[in-house]
Amino acid sequence: MIKIILLSFSTLLMSCSVKFSSEKNSTKTQKPQNIILMIGDGMGLSQVSATYYQQKSNLNLKKIKNIGLMTTHSSDKLVTDSAAGATSFACGIKTYNGAIGVDDNKKSVKTILEYFEDKNCVTGLVATSTITHATPASFVAHQNKRSMHEEIASDIANSETDLIIGGGLKYFTERKDKVNLLEKMNSRGFQNFTSLEDLQNSNSLKSIALLAKDATPRISEGRGDFLPLATEIALDKLSTNKNGFFLMVEGSQIDWGGHDNDQNYLISELVDFDKAIGIAIDFVDKNPETLLIVTADHETGGIAITGGNVEEGKVETIFASKHHTGALIPVYAYGRGSENFRGFYDNTDVFKKMYKLKFE
Ligand code: MG
Ligand code: ZN
């Protein structure tokens, strides 16, 4: 009799412990409803370090506690370009430098943005380059070469992406085929905006705002608060959807400062990108069902900090290259599911982690 009681008691204990551990697991694997992926093109650790000292340690990026490191090589080169790098984030595959949303066999691969669209979520792209540039393009277009801007623009115009903010108007309205893609998009229910103010004051979600023929101006040439404001507007609009959203925001020109070996160019662009990061962090604080990931596709310029003055916010640097380099790149994650981004992994794992957290 005592044996039976003991047995049933231990069974009860076991079932309790099973119950407790499954509860523990369910809080561990809480799913993000929304994912914000912010890519500082060419923003390696040295770029962040130089900006940290110049800004006297005032960086929003410092608020992010979950940090990992990743490898970024492409399928054909140790040093990636932005197309292969962004395709790894977008599709979870290694592909050749120059590939836009296609694999080594030039076959289209479904992107994270397209998976979100399939599940009745809404999506957006924000960049300070042309919206057809390699980084934003790889989330929504499928082309063999990054230089195919007009074909990429057609892919964007035909896509389900809800909100598009950046430069690159000429690829939509001054095309060899004479097609006006903005008019085509209007007929599909998109509204077209020529200022962020008008976009902000509108109620429409399906919107395109291409505010420069080519890339948007440099921050030093008067771009103002375009990127932080575009990020804020995008978050406002996309968060009206109850199924969740995916937003990609790119600080495109940090990379161009690196290619130019221009310390002031890259730091001013990174400071601007960090303001947009601050907007995204505030959004996650108010909407904790959101996951924010901040990373880069690669380092650019092989920048090294050789001296400076901490109190004065002065930084001395030298550049080892005019091109990209193969250094490990940090991944910063904040909000729901962010603990999954600690450790050492590959750029394709960024896609795999996002996909698993949202859809599995
Ligand atoms: Mg880019
Ligand atoms: Zn580059």
Side-chain angles (χ1 to χ4, degrees):
M1 184 63 182
I2 288 170
K3 211 176 175 185
I4 290 168
I5 290 170
L6 270 176
L7 253 175
S8 55
F9 184 65
S10 64
T11 315
L12 186 72
L13 267 178
M14 266 173 66
S15 69
C16 282
S17 70
V18 167
K19 188 163 173 275
F20 284 134
S21 70
S22 74
E23 268 177 6
K24 223 177 171 183
N25 277 340
S26 71
T27 53
K28 250 189 182 171
T29 54
Q30 265 195 326
K31 302 263 171 210
Q33 186 185 26
N34 316 309
I35 299 181
I36 308 166
L37 175 61
M38 301 186 74
I39 303 173
D41 198 313
M43 188 183 73
L45 200 49
S46 300
Q47 279 78 359
V48 175
S49 314
T51 308
Y52 172 88
Y53 285 113
Q54 175 152 319
Q55 291 300 103
K56 298 182 179 174
S57 91
N58 279 313
L59 279 187
N60 288 310
L61 206 44
K62 275 170 61 189
K63 296 175 188 161
I64 302 180
K65 305 282 182 237
N66 286 314
I67 301 175
L69 284 172
M70 68 179 176
T71 46
T72 65
H73 55 278
S74 64
S75 68
D76 64 337
K77 296 267 177 7
L78 191 152
V79 178
T80 191
D81 82 326
S82 296
T87 300
S88 292
F89 296 148
C91 306
I93 57 158
K94 289 290 186 197
T95 189
Y96 60 95
N97 283 8
I100 302 290
V102 297
D103 65 14
D104 273 333
N105 301 314
K106 301 185 171 156
K107 242 187 93 204
S108 294
V109 180
K110 197 164 177 172
T111 71
I112 189 79
L113 184 148
E114 290 164 338
Y115 281 108
F116 268 78
E117 286 293 344
D118 278 3
K119 300 281 182 190
N120 294 319
C121 301
V122 292
T123 60
L125 294 174
V126 174
T128 54
S129 61
T130 65
I131 205 70
T132 57
H133 214 265
T135 311
S138 298
F139 287 86
V140 65
H142 303 278
Q143 296 293 341
N144 298 345
K145 277 193 287 186
R146 58 183 294 169
S147 56
M148 298 167 75
H149 285 277
E150 294 194 356
E151 290 82 356
I152 291 168
S154 297
D155 282 357
I156 293 170
N158 291 322
S159 79
E160 299 299 317
T161 316
D162 298 278
L163 183 60
I164 295 158
I165 310 174
L169 185 62
K170 66 179 181 184
Y171 300 118
F172 288 73
T173 58
E174 295 170 25
R175 299 163 55 84
K176 281 186 218 99
D177 63 10
K178 306 279 184 233
V179 175
N180 185 324
L181 290 180
L182 291 187
E183 282 172 11
K184 277 187 103 178
M185 291 178 80
N186 290 341
S187 68
R188 289 181 56 223
F190 277 84
Q191 265 193 266
N192 170 29
F193 293 91
T194 53
S195 81
L196 283 186
E197 204 182 12
D198 290 347
L199 175 64
Q200 190 167 32
N201 292 331
S202 85
N203 294 321
S204 89
L205 170 63
K206 278 198 172 295
S207 306
I208 179 160
L210 300 180
L211 303 184
K213 268 196 176 186
D214 217 311
T216 66
R218 297 176 180 199
I219 203 76
S220 63
E221 291 171 347
R223 192 170 74 235
D225 62 351
F226 167 86
L227 187 62
L229 183 57
T231 304
E232 190 177 355
I233 295 170
L235 291 171
D236 262 4
K237 287 190 180 289
L238 294 173
S239 59
T240 55
N241 183 288
K242 292 289 158 270
N243 297 319
F245 68 80
F246 175 79
L247 172 65
M248 195 291 301
V249 176
E250 187 197 20
S252 318
Q253 298 191 30
I254 300 165
D255 175 63
W256 303 352
H259 283 291
D260 285 357
N261 287 183
D262 183 335
Q263 178 183 319
N264 290 334
Y265 186 10
L266 90 78
I267 290 181
S268 59
E269 292 294 332
L270 208 155
V271 169
D272 177 59
F273 185 56
D274 185 67
K275 283 183 195 157
I277 293 168
I279 299 282
I281 288 174
D282 286 349
F283 180 88
V284 176
D285 288 341
K286 289 182 196 124
N287 302 273
E289 68 284 8
T290 307
L291 167 64
L292 166 66
I293 304 156
V294 184
T295 188
D297 42 3
H298 51 73
E299 195 275 347
T300 307
I303 187 173
I305 297 164
T306 51
N309 185 303
V310 176
E311 276 77 43
E312 293 170 19
K314 275 193 186 152
V315 193
E316 290 158 18
T317 59
I318 55 168
F319 290 85
S321 169
K322 291 263 181 190
H323 305 288
H324 304 164
T325 72
L328 293 174
I329 292 295
V331 182
Y332 310 83
Y334 190 78
R336 188 165 295 174
S338 58
E339 65 281 1
N340 295 283
F341 288 81
R342 294 176 197 156
F344 191 113
Y345 44 92
D346 183 60
N347 60 0
T348 53
D349 293 315
V350 173
F351 168 90
K352 289 169 191 162
K353 289 172 192 290
M354 290 192 294
Y355 183 89
K356 190 174 177 199
L357 282 167
K358 175 66 185 176
F359 298 117
E360 280 178 4

